[in-house]
Amino acid sequence: MSIPSTPTSNDACLSIVHSLMCHRQGGESETFAKRAIESLVKKLKEKKDELDSLITAITTNGAHPSKCVTIQRTLDGRLQVAGRKGFPHVIYARLWRWPDLHKNELKHVKYCQFAFDLKCDNVCVNPYHYERVVSPGIDLSSLTIGQHVGSGASSTRIVKDEYDFDGPHSHPSIDTGHGLQTIQHPPSSSRAPPPEPFSSPSLLPPSEASTSGAAPAFPTIVAASGGSGSTWPQSFTPNIPHHPNGHLQHHPPMPHPGHYWPVHNELAFQPPISNHPAPDYWCSIAYFEMDVQVGETFKVQSSCHIVTVDGYVDPSGGDRFCLGQLSNVHRTEAIERARLHIGKGVQLECKGEGDVWVRCLSDHAVFVQSYYLDREAGRAPGDAVHKIYPSAYIKVFDLRQCHRQMQQQAATAQAAAAAQAAAVAGNIPGPGSVGGIAPAISLSAAAGIGVDDLRRLCILRMSFVKGWGPDYPRQSIKETPCWIEIHLHRALQLLDEVLHTMPIADPQPLD
């Protein structure tokens, strides 16, 4: 698009909008950007000096001083554009300066008289009257965000979206500290095809893997230690998957005493985890609307490494599960609306012995519950919801890591149950022990791990269009209109082997 000559406030709205559109940063869709800019220009048409200030600021990239550009403050402080709500100064700062901006990262310059934080009746939305002050590496809301210096690509980060597809009914962000969080996974700029399953640098020694790809562009997200209530192991050493083509290179956190994942050294070109023949089907997919399963479970044969789950009405079979043709007599209008936006859906790809990657083909994000991504983000297991953006291609399950976790959890539960029984019988003397009850209580959490807890390691859950957690009006995936549960058969097969070698009983309450 060629940049036209700089307009003035006397020009037609269409000319001004066209000029300002040429300077947008590309973080938003063209449709949304145009609606947002049109809305602003119309509001400023009667304030020609402010409109000229906006045009000057945007077309010169802030090189020339400009005045405040104000709009009326709404009751809740947020602006609605195209059915989505957000803080106005953040919306326009994203459009014209920082597409990956977090709402807490803005601070107004001293000479701005109507900055958002000043709580005036009018709000300044001049992007060049704000500075981005919270850089990676500064502790923010109990989270440490560490930026690895590299290319300037979008980052994987903890987010509190001010607006999303949820539209005007979105709830304002709620900071819950150590509660469930939404972590964004935007697409990489590269469109090259993914590497072959057995040539991935994630199988190389760390020294080779670290030099085989582009500089990592995604910062580390580390939960502050303590307060999670998790009974999972408290140490961590990263298993670093690098993509040579730039696809979502996740850098795990550095070792930290408050982390939740076990320490392991990775070996180059590891042999299969088990010699047991692979199952006939590598996964089975169940589709749900709210808390009700709709249709039959769809099984994917092991010979079919890629399966597509979409919203179309074609017959399902082989490598395609079409959700559009499934009927539900209890389907609500809200569910029907959400189903219309599944579109091309997602591709699930099985690599190697059982690793799983997801590609979002839909025009809307999908939301994933993945213990592997929790680990990569430094979160406690089940502590986060991962927002996978359109066109993103990302690993969501690692079989080897899952198998190690199974073994650890089964061994921990088995040992804790035996120790608990001994403690109740009074066979573990120690200070502060009254008849063995105190140590029994301290062991009860570890002994409470059952088979169902281990099965969860082998399951992925994914919601289309709508998210859940404190950032959204839905607190559980079972409150989302359309979602799938993916059972990974190789992982379940390995779990069966683990349970045969070290059986654990279902957790029993203390008398």
Side-chain angles (χ1 to χ4, degrees):
M1 183 185 293
S2 60
I3 299 179
S5 58
T6 303
T8 69
S9 58
N10 294 320
D11 289 318
C13 285
L14 190 62
S15 298
I16 299 172
V17 171
H18 179 68
S19 175
L20 297 178
M21 280 286 288
C22 294
H23 296 272
R24 67 188 181 95
Q25 294 300 304
E28 291 290 351
S29 69
E30 184 174 353
T31 301
F32 178 83
K34 188 174 183 181
R35 292 281 291 277
I37 295 172
E38 283 176 345
S39 172
L40 180 58
V41 171
K42 288 176 182 177
K43 287 182 173 73
L44 297 175
K45 251 312 188 180
E46 301 304 317
K47 299 189 283 188
K48 292 185 180 297
D49 58 333
E50 293 188 19
L51 182 52
D52 281 327
S53 287
L54 175 69
I55 294 169
T56 299
I58 301 307
T59 57
T60 65
N61 295 325
H64 298 297
S66 54
K67 300 176 183 178
C68 285
V69 177
T70 62
I71 61 174
Q72 186 75 28
R73 180 186 289 270
T74 60
L75 288 176
D76 67 353
R78 297 188 296 165
L79 176 69
Q80 182 169 321
V81 177
R84 291 157 48 174
K85 276 194 171 185
F87 295 115
H89 63 311
V90 176
I91 290 176
Y92 293 108
R94 282 176 176 165
L95 277 180
W96 284 309
R97 295 194 71 183
W98 307 288
D100 61 345
L101 178 71
H102 186 282
K103 70 178 181 184
N104 293 331
E105 295 180 342
L106 286 182
K107 179 181 180 182
H108 63 273
V109 296
K110 292 181 180 179
Y111 52 82
C112 183
Q113 299 176 338
F114 297 94
F116 182 83
D117 293 337
L118 298 180
K119 309 295 184 184
C120 301
D121 290 338
N122 290 320
V123 178
C124 179
V125 294
N126 186 337
Y128 293 94
H129 277 205
Y130 294 89
E131 297 173 343
R132 191 173 187 177
V133 294
V134 179
S135 59
I138 296 179
D139 190 13
L140 178 66
S141 300
S142 302
L143 300 169
T144 304
I145 305 179
Q147 174 76 48
H148 184 100
V149 178
S151 66
S154 300
S155 59
T156 303
R157 60 192 182 278
I158 298 293
V159 299
K160 300 286 187 184
D161 281 345
E162 295 102 38
Y163 52 82
D164 200 87
F165 178 75
D166 284 311
H169 303 294
S170 294
H171 289 197
S173 299
I174 304 170
D175 191 351
T176 58
H178 294 286
L180 195 71
Q181 299 282 347
T182 306
I183 299 177
Q184 288 186 337
H185 300 271
S188 115
S189 58
S190 173
R191 297 290 180 183
E196 292 300 315
F198 298 103
S199 63
S200 171
S202 63
L203 298 176
L204 298 176
S207 60
E208 294 181 45
S210 63
T211 59
S212 63
F218 296 89
T220 294
I221 308 156
V222 183
S225 60
S228 73
S230 171
T231 60
W232 292 47
Q234 299 291 310
S235 56
F236 170 75
T237 293
N239 166 22
I240 306 178
H242 286 272
H243 246 284
N245 58 16
H247 274 299
L248 288 166
Q249 302 174 47
H250 286 280
H251 249 271
M254 294 302 291
H256 187 286
H259 280 304
Y260 308 99
W261 301 92
V263 176
H264 290 288
N265 293 320
E266 299 303 318
L267 301 175
F269 304 107
Q270 292 163 325
I273 299 172
S274 170
N275 292 324
H276 197 282
D280 293 335
Y281 301 94
W282 72 264
C283 77
S284 56
I285 307 170
Y287 169 65
F288 293 83
E289 293 177 359
M290 308 295 280
D291 59 351
V292 177
Q293 182 174 348
V294 177
E296 297 181 358
T297 300
F298 183 83
K299 294 183 177 181
V300 184
Q301 292 188 341
S302 293
S303 58
C304 178
H305 298 294
I306 299 178
V307 61
T308 301
V309 183
D310 60 41
Y312 299 125
V313 296
D314 300 322
S316 297
D319 62 350
R320 190 175 175 201
F321 186 19
C322 296
L323 306 180
Q325 46 92 25
L326 299 177
S327 60
N328 178 9
V329 294
H330 301 295
R331 183 173 293 149
T332 64
E333 184 180 345
I335 293 174
E336 195 65 71
R337 283 199 308 270
R339 280 167 52 84
L340 292 174
H341 294 280
I342 296 174
K344 295 179 181 178
V346 295
Q347 269 187 352
L348 306 173
E349 181 176 0
C350 181
K351 289 190 173 188
E353 193 176 353
D355 295 351
V356 179
W357 292 67
V358 166
R359 188 187 302 276
C360 181
L361 304 176
S362 174
D363 291 333
H364 296 280
V366 295
F367 299 80
V368 178
Q369 187 178 67
S370 160
Y371 289 154
Y372 170 78
L373 289 179
D374 292 343
R375 173 186 187 252
E376 295 298 284
R379 304 294 303 203
D383 194 33
V385 178
H386 300 268
K387 184 175 182 179
I388 312 298
Y389 278 74
S391 301
Y393 178 72
I394 184 170
K395 185 177 183 178
V396 293
F397 181 80
D398 184 286
L399 184 67
R400 202 168 293 275
Q401 176 227 305
C402 176
H403 184 244
R404 288 195 298 255
Q405 202 62 48
M406 289 174 195
Q407 291 175 314
Q408 276 206 338
Q409 293 304 294
T412 300
Q414 190 179 47
Q420 181 184 354
V424 171
N427 294 332
I428 304 181
S433 171
V434 181
I437 297 302
I441 293 173
S442 67
L443 290 166
S444 62
I449 298 171
V451 174
D452 286 344
D453 298 291
L454 296 178
R455 281 180 59 84
R456 290 190 191 102
L457 297 172
C458 312
I459 296 172
L460 297 169
R461 285 177 162 184
M462 183 183 304
S463 171
F464 294 97
V465 184
K466 300 287 188 178
W468 75 95
D471 298 330
Y472 300 92
R474 298 159 295 276
Q475 297 307 301
S476 162
I477 194 171
K478 293 184 178 181
E479 297 172 31
T480 62
C482 40
W483 58 281
I484 55 176
E485 185 172 85
I486 305 151
H487 290 243
L488 303 172
H489 292 191
R490 182 61 167 174
L492 290 166
Q493 187 182 59
L494 295 177
L495 174 58
D496 190 54
E497 291 183 12
V498 168
L499 293 177
H500 274 89
T501 57
M502 50 178 85
I504 61 174
D506 286 331
Q508 300 292 329
L510 288 172
D511 292 332

